[in-house]
Amino acid sequence: MNLLLAEVAQATQRLAAAGVPSPRNDAEELAAYVHDVKRGELHTVPDADFDARYWETIARREAREPLQHITGRAYFRYLELQVGPGVFVPRPETESVVGWAIDAVRAMDVVEPLVVDLCTGSGAIALALAQEVPRSTVHAVELSEDALVWTRKNVEGSRVHLHHGDAFAALPELDGQVDLVISNPPYIPLTEWEYVAPEARDHDPEMALFSGEDGLDTIRRIERTAHRLLRPGGVVVVEHADTQGGQVPWLFTEERGWADAADHPDLNNRPRFATARKALP
């Protein structure tokens, strides 16, 4: 074992003691970041090249600063994104939400699908759709100026059309034309603040996390926005907390112009997102 791997083993123990959910993964990611190698190449770093700054990054992670804030990057499906303070860090569970949406768009009998991502944050969802559905036109909407600093970096050179503004009033010029509306909105109840992991509670922007007493205030408004934007037969996809699976589909009722409202599990088989189709006239 070389010096770096021995230090990674010690760092793993420190992170585990601090309650970090994935201590080995994070210790290796930080070692690879500091030494500018891939995780699978850590054993190739000569002992003389060990960089003591590694322990500075471990101390930051030990204090529950998000791994992605330390490295400045987050991975999402086939993307590497720039992230940092002020923007919500994309989560792995959202990848299954996007996967469902991509399959739904591909199944549509539409040559050039029109997609809108509301509350885009880092731009992860919009960029994944633009990349994996090459003939799509993707619009992304974000209100936060702090988040937009990162969104603009990520969408630069892509086919995503970025809009600064309120998701609920966005894109009236597209009313009744959109094939898919997707969103990972804030959905944590204010009453759950103390139970949120420190990485999110202390570092993700509050406006990307919390949404009223039951966590559903933003989703209720997205339901109306999606209905306005979608063409008849168009689809909405909304992520929610795994405790809200019995509630969110009921916001997309027949009386409000929806059909086929359903809930879907993530890769851990927990309720993760709801979908509905705008009813035909």
Side-chain angles (χ1 to χ4, degrees), residues 24-35:
R24 182 75 188 189
N25 172 84
D26 292 13
E28 291 182 352
E29 281 285 349
L30 290 170
Y33 165 68
V34 170
H35 295 88

Side-chain angles (χ1 to χ4, degrees), residues 148-166:
L148 280 166
V149 170
W150 300 99
T151 326
R152 291 187 178 109
K153 292 179 181 179
N154 289 324
V155 305
E156 184 178 1
S158 76
R159 295 186 299 104
V160 172
H161 303 275
L162 181 59
H163 306 267
H164 177 209
D166 187 333

Side-chain angles (χ1 to χ4, degrees), residues 1-254:
M1 181 183 292
N2 66 354
L3 174 61
L4 179 55
L5 288 179
E7 300 292 90
V8 166
Q10 291 185 44
T12 299
Q13 294 179 348
R14 276 181 54 176
L15 295 182
V20 172
S22 50
R24 182 75 188 189
N25 172 84
D26 292 13
E28 291 182 352
E29 281 285 349
L30 290 170
Y33 165 68
V34 170
H35 295 88
D36 196 25
V37 296
K38 297 178 180 178
R39 279 178 64 183
E41 300 171 343
L42 295 177
H43 66 284
T44 68
V45 177
D47 291 354
D49 289 348
F50 175 74
D51 191 332
R53 288 178 298 177
Y54 175 56
W55 287 107
E56 296 176 13
T57 68
I58 292 298
R60 292 170 65 184
R61 187 69 188 101
E62 200 173 18
R64 305 300 292 272
E65 184 176 347
L67 171 69
Q68 297 86 350
H69 282 197
I70 301 171
T71 64
R73 62 194 182 202
Y75 299 100
F76 186 84
R77 292 183 69 87
Y78 305 106
L79 301 167
E80 180 177 322
L81 304 163
Q82 297 184 62
V83 295
V87 70
F88 181 80
V89 174
R91 305 309 202 250
E93 52 265 31
T94 306
E95 295 190 18
S96 59
V97 183
V98 174
W100 190 97
I102 288 169
D103 290 343
V105 172
R106 287 174 175 169
M108 292 177 180
D109 188 19
V110 178
V111 176
E112 297 180 345
L114 183 56
V115 176
V116 172
D117 174 21
L118 301 175
C119 310
T120 195
S122 67
I125 291 176
L127 285 162
L129 279 153
Q131 181 185 69
E132 297 182 55
V133 188
R135 299 193 68 174
S136 61
T137 298
V138 181
H139 294 267
V141 182
E142 177 55 50
L143 178 61
S144 167
E145 286 279 9
D146 291 336
L148 280 166
V149 170
W150 300 99
T151 326
R152 291 187 178 109
K153 292 179 181 179
N154 289 324
V155 305
E156 184 178 1
S158 76
R159 295 186 299 104
V160 172
H161 303 275
L162 181 59
H163 306 267
H164 177 209
D166 187 333
F168 311 125
L171 306 172
E173 66 275 16
L174 299 182
D175 284 358
Q177 303 174 53
V178 177
D179 297 296
L180 178 95
V181 171
I182 186 168
S183 182
N184 179 14
Y187 51 67
I188 301 174
L190 289 169
T191 53
E192 299 292 313
W193 185 89
E194 62 185 293
Y195 304 110
V196 177
E199 288 87 347
R201 185 187 65 221
D202 300 337
H203 296 279
D204 279 328
E206 283 193 17
M207 68 182 297
L209 298 177
F210 301 101
S211 187
E213 290 299 313
D214 63 357
L216 299 178
D217 284 2
T218 302
I219 295 178
R220 290 188 183 96
R221 297 186 69 185
I222 283 176
E223 180 269 326
R224 284 293 83 195
T225 303
H227 195 272
R228 167 174 64 80
L229 289 169
L230 289 170
R231 61 167 174 82
V235 173
V236 61
V237 184
V238 183
E239 182 172 334
H240 57 69
D242 56 12
T243 57
Q244 296 167 332
Q247 302 168 271
V248 176
W250 289 101
L251 301 177
F252 297 86
T253 62
E254 292 183 11

